[in-house]
Amino acid sequence: MKLIWSPDTATKAYIDTVRTCKVFNESGVAELVSAMAAGWNAKLIVETWSQGGVIATSIGLEIASRHTCGRHVCVVPDEKSRSEFITAMKEAADMNPEVLVGEPEEVMSELVGIDFMVVDSKRKDFARVLRQAKLNQSGAVLVCKNANSRSTSSFRWRSVIDCGSRRVVRTVFLPVGKGLDMAHVSSSGGNSGSSKVEKKKWIKHFDQRSGEEYVIRK
């Protein structure tokens, strides 16, 4: 399904996230990503989370998935993180989202057609997770949170996106929370800038009646 922006759905998700996350000090990120995921009508929303991470963003994404009738999946590195995440979500907002445990290569193979994805830049393997992501053929939105914690010189969106079949349409960095680095990825098989340009041909035609010669570009 092609991503189509819906301002009404985005607003509703934003308001619900504000109400739910009002007890958190860093809820600005949660509200923004929730509105974005809902506004793009994302059906498969994926995030990464590690032990000790802020839970507000996860609440926002869960709320977004409910507004889009979609699926929200959280990927964690180990069982300890899984247990802490489930407990925190239950206590904070009485939510029980889907959680997958394992290495990026293993876990991401089970998630095909990702529309919206949020990864934590504090995780050492965040770039590997992005490379392994099976994005929606119609395009996707990718978000790196806590982007201030990593070196900007060591990461480029084009280094994790398959430029052979996709391209990065647009990137933006927002000073929200501890930094949000976002990218909009094109549809699969979209214009990657490497397509061959069809050469124009010049065709000459001689009118025997009038004696005039015409040159036509085709």
Side-chain angles (χ1 to χ4, degrees):
M1 179 181 293
K2 187 176 182 180
L3 296 179
I4 300 176
W5 181 254
S6 172
D8 291 340
T9 307
T11 301
K12 292 176 181 178
Y14 178 88
I15 293 174
D16 286 349
T17 303
V18 170
R19 291 171 178 171
T20 307
C21 295
K22 60 184 178 181
V23 298
F24 294 98
N25 294 326
E26 299 185 24
S27 60
V29 173
E31 296 154 2
L32 179 59
V33 298
S34 178
M36 289 181 61
W40 285 115
N41 195 32
K43 298 302 182 182
L44 179 54
I45 302 171
V46 178
E47 67 164 324
T48 63
W49 190 87
S50 298
Q51 188 178 2
V54 177
I55 210 71
T57 301
S58 303
I59 293 175
L61 294 175
E62 178 68 13
I63 290 174
S65 69
R66 295 181 180 184
H67 279 281
T68 65
C69 296
R71 178 187 177 194
H72 168 219
V73 182
C74 182
V75 177
V76 297
D78 49 50
E79 286 295 337
K80 191 172 184 179
S81 295
R82 178 180 181 276
S83 178
E84 183 178 319
F85 177 79
I86 292 176
T87 300
M89 289 290 286
K90 188 71 175 177
E91 293 178 350
D94 194 24
M95 294 178 175
N96 187 29
E98 183 179 352
V99 184
L100 293 180
V101 182
E103 295 294 322
E105 292 83 357
E106 175 186 355
V107 177
M108 300 310 292
S109 64
E110 302 179 28
L111 302 171
V112 180
I114 298 173
D115 299 306
F116 194 90
M117 186 172 187
V118 179
V119 299
D120 191 344
S121 296
K122 287 185 177 180
R123 280 185 56 157
K124 294 180 180 180
D125 63 349
F126 82 93
R128 285 174 56 204
V129 174
L130 290 170
R131 291 190 186 96
Q132 297 297 324
K134 311 297 182 183
L135 306 181
N136 190 321
Q137 292 185 352
S138 298
V141 175
L142 307 178
V143 181
C144 286
K145 66 178 183 179
N146 294 318
N148 291 337
S149 65
R150 60 172 167 76
S151 172
T152 55
S153 62
S154 64
F155 175 80
R156 293 289 183 273
W157 280 111
R158 288 177 177 79
S159 69
V160 296
I161 303 300
D162 181 10
C163 294
S165 59
R166 296 179 183 272
R167 67 185 178 94
V168 177
V169 178
R170 184 182 181 186
T171 64
V172 62
F173 181 88
L174 298 178
V176 180
K178 295 182 179 179
L180 290 179
D181 193 0
M182 300 182 290
H184 178 201
V185 183
S186 71
S187 59
S188 179
N191 179 21
S192 62
S194 61
S195 58
K196 295 182 179 179
V197 178
E198 183 181 356
K199 294 182 178 180
K200 299 293 184 178
K201 297 181 179 179
W202 292 95
I203 301 176
K204 292 184 178 181
H205 173 69
F206 182 77
D207 191 325
Q208 295 183 352
R209 290 186 178 181
S210 63
E212 296 180 346
E213 183 180 61
Y214 299 91
V215 179
I216 306 172
R217 191 178 186 185
K218 184 176 181 182

